[in-house]
Amino acid sequence: MASKHTKSFKDSMSMASDLIHDFVCSPCQEDNLNTEAKYFCGDCSKYYCDKCLTFHSKIHKQHVVLGRKDVDKWVGQGDALISCDFHPGKVIELLCEDHAEMCCHLCVSLNHRMCRTISLISDLAKDVYKMADFKQLPSKVAKITTSLNQVREVRKKNQGSLKTSGKSMLTKIKDLRKSLNQLLDKLEKRTVKQMDSVLADLDDTLQKDIDFCTLIHDQLKALMDTIQSQGKDDESSSYIGFRKCEEKMAEANSLLQVMSTKPELTATFQPDTRVTQLLSDMHSLGKLQGNQETLTGHQMSNMKSSEQIRPLPDISRVFTVKNKSTFNVNIKQDTVSCYIVGITELSSGEIILVDTRNNRVKILNREYKVIAKYDVPHKPQDICHVTGNQVAVAVNRDYPVRHEVHFLTVTA
């Protein structure tokens, strides 16, 4: 049933033209004219069209007038209490009781045309000062604002404690990084020391070969110099020198043969990839955890101080499978290998399986042995635990295509 104020509302709407403007010229509106406003005077708190602004400017030359390019500044310049939140140029004059929402004429035209009960604010506001709720409004607002101030102060202190925690955590992070740097420095020094030792051993081996070659070379050269310095008259000395040269050349050939079989000495470094793998797998230097809330303003005002906020889940947690067991759920009545598409557990501990190939529901005891079965007319697709010992089985019929849900009470 329409409100008794509907007629008054219709009368007030009949004065408006079919055009709907965001801002209506104030002087024209007073003359029951619907003219779009293109200017706003903050000193007068009124809107003006081109024609009315001409008269306004002649009378109030010192007033500051804002044009359409500054329309964002028009909002809030008039009476904010009675201005529509969605259409700042309009005044709140109506109440949609279907939605319990105050609105202007433009709101009604756009959003409340189908609403049955729309009343004039002027009619509803009669004797408002005598209403008990209106009289209690100051005390209620004071109580709420006091609570808001208390929560705000608590939150500010919480902000301070978070900043302190942040500084403390940053110090720990820096210390950890410093200790890691020290460990890496030690590992580097040890690795360099090992490298120097390996290179020194290889260098000693090469130097021994070099020294041996040099020794034989020098000995052969000295023998040849001595033989060549001897005269032809001293045959005995020349013969001795000849024999010694042959012995030394034989020694040199043996050395050359051994040297030719020796591979080139090399040194390589194979990095330990465990270090880089470990660091690449890490998401951070430690575990950072905080609590967080997602509450609306209404929920925050109703939240009890004793309510605790759950911590964030640890998304970096790794689950490890310690053991695995396999159980056979085929039974003699199965015509084909079972194909499990759904599983659920009763509060008593029994496991319920859905075998779609055999059109069967199977019940397992706590030792995972099939102790009972239930045949469904068509392929079961899934299962869920409803309550107590009752489960719901989704069944898919092929011809015609339709879906069914079978409710079963298990009494295994």
Side-chain angles (χ1 to χ4, degrees):
M1 181 180 291
S3 169
K4 62 181 180 179
H5 305 294
T6 303
K7 186 176 183 302
S8 299
F9 164 63
K10 290 182 178 179
D11 293 339
S12 63
M13 287 293 292
S14 64
M15 295 186 298
S17 69
D18 293 336
L19 293 176
I20 299 175
H21 306 298
D22 289 338
F23 301 94
V24 179
C25 175
S26 301
C28 291
Q29 191 176 31
E30 293 174 0
D31 296 333
N32 294 328
L33 298 176
N34 183 19
T35 309
E36 182 181 9
K38 297 182 179 180
Y39 306 93
F40 176 78
C41 176
D43 297 304
C44 298
S45 295
K46 290 186 177 181
Y47 303 92
Y48 296 96
C49 62
D50 291 327
K51 183 178 179 180
C52 293
L53 181 67
T54 303
F55 297 101
H56 170 271
S57 300
K58 290 181 180 180
I59 301 173
H60 307 288
K61 296 182 180 181
Q62 302 300 323
H63 286 192
V64 178
V65 178
L66 301 176
R68 273 288 182 177
K69 64 179 181 179
D70 297 318
V71 70
D72 292 340
K73 299 179 181 180
W74 293 17
V75 179
Q77 295 292 337
D79 194 338
L81 180 63
I82 62 175
S83 295
C84 178
D85 293 336
F86 301 101
H87 309 98
K90 299 295 182 180
V91 177
I92 297 175
E93 298 178 341
L94 306 162
L95 174 68
C96 174
E97 297 187 25
D98 293 0
H99 294 94
E101 182 179 312
M102 294 190 298
C103 48
C104 65
H105 290 287
L106 187 55
C107 290
V108 173
S109 300
L110 297 176
N111 303 320
H112 301 278
R113 289 185 176 182
M114 305 302 295
C115 297
R116 302 180 61 184
T117 308
I118 298 178
S119 305
L120 289 169
I121 295 290
S122 57
D123 293 336
L124 296 174
K126 292 179 180 179
D127 297 327
V128 65
Y129 300 108
K130 297 180 180 180
M131 295 180 183
D133 289 342
F134 186 83
K135 293 179 180 179
Q136 296 173 1
L137 184 63
S139 61
K140 290 181 179 180
V141 171
K143 184 178 180 180
I144 291 294
T145 53
T146 300
S147 299
L148 290 173
N149 288 333
Q150 291 174 350
V151 172
R152 182 174 59 185
E153 293 303 318
V154 170
R155 288 312 210 195
K156 286 183 178 179
K157 291 180 180 179
N158 198 171
Q159 282 183 327
S161 64
L162 281 178
K163 290 181 180 179
T164 304
S165 299
K167 293 179 180 179
S168 176
M169 288 189 293
L170 183 60
T171 301
K172 291 181 180 180
I173 294 172
K174 295 291 186 182
D175 290 342
L176 177 58
R177 174 62 186 272
K178 185 177 179 180
S179 63
L180 290 176
N181 289 340
Q182 292 174 349
L183 289 174
L184 290 174
D185 290 340
K186 289 181 180 179
L187 289 175
E188 181 184 0
K189 290 180 180 179
R190 291 175 186 172
T191 307
V192 172
K193 187 176 180 180
Q194 291 176 359
M195 180 195 70
D196 292 339
S197 176
V198 170
L199 292 177
D201 292 341
L202 294 175
D203 187 73
D204 288 343
T205 301
L206 293 173
Q207 190 62 45
K208 288 179 181 179
D209 292 342
I210 293 171
D211 293 343
F212 199 17
C213 290
T214 302
L215 176 63
I216 295 178
H217 172 274
D218 293 343
Q219 289 176 346
L220 282 172
K221 187 175 184 304
L223 285 172
M224 283 302 301
D225 290 343
T226 302
I227 291 173
Q228 290 176 353
S229 64
Q230 295 290 332
K232 293 183 178 180
D233 297 335
D234 192 354
E235 293 180 348
S236 298
S237 296
S238 296
Y239 180 78
I240 293 173
F242 164 69
R243 293 299 299 267
K244 285 186 176 181
C245 274
E246 285 191 334
E247 292 176 358
K248 191 57 66 176
M249 284 190 294
E251 186 178 352
N253 286 328
S254 298
L255 177 63
L256 290 173
Q257 187 175 2
V258 172
M259 293 291 185
S260 64
T261 59
K262 285 185 177 182
E264 181 182 2
L265 299 184
T266 59
T268 60
F269 173 70
Q270 186 67 33
D272 191 339
T273 57
R274 292 177 300 173
V275 178
T276 53
Q277 186 62 43
L278 176 62
L279 292 177
S280 62
D281 290 341
M282 295 175 61
H283 297 286
S284 64
L285 291 177
K287 186 176 181 181
L288 289 170
Q289 188 173 2
N291 52 10
Q292 189 177 9
E293 58 191 357
T294 307
L295 300 176
T296 63
H298 177 69
Q299 289 172 325
M300 288 183 64
S301 64
N302 293 333
M303 186 178 68
K304 298 180 181 179
S305 59
S306 60
E307 289 181 299
Q308 299 295 323
I309 302 172
R310 290 185 176 182
L312 289 172
D314 183 8
I315 60 175
S316 63
R317 183 179 179 183
V318 178
F319 293 91
T320 304
V321 178
K322 294 184 178 180
N323 53 62
K324 182 181 73 172
S325 301
T326 303
F327 300 92
N328 187 5
V329 293
N330 275 106
I331 59 178
K332 293 181 180 180
Q333 292 84 353
D334 291 341
T335 57
V336 294
S337 298
C338 62
Y339 188 77
I340 307 302
V341 295
I343 184 171
T344 188
E345 181 183 9
L346 299 180
S347 55
S348 55
E350 286 81 8
I351 302 296
I352 315 296
L353 302 178
V354 173
D355 184 356
T356 187
R357 286 180 178 172
N358 293 288
N359 299 334
R360 189 164 287 148
V361 176
K362 299 177 180 179
I363 305 172
L364 281 62
N365 60 15
R366 295 186 180 183
E367 285 72 34
Y368 306 107
K369 294 182 180 179
V370 180
I371 58 175
K373 68 177 180 65
Y374 172 76
D375 295 337
V376 293
H378 296 277
K379 293 181 179 180
Q381 300 297 312
D382 207 346
I383 189 172
C384 70
H385 180 214
V386 180
T387 179
N389 287 341
Q390 191 177 53
V391 296
V393 181
V395 177
N396 181 24
R397 288 181 177 268
D398 295 329
Y399 302 101
V401 178
R402 62 179 182 179
H403 301 279
E404 297 177 349
V405 176
H406 291 210
F407 291 89
L408 309 178
T409 301
V410 179
T411 56

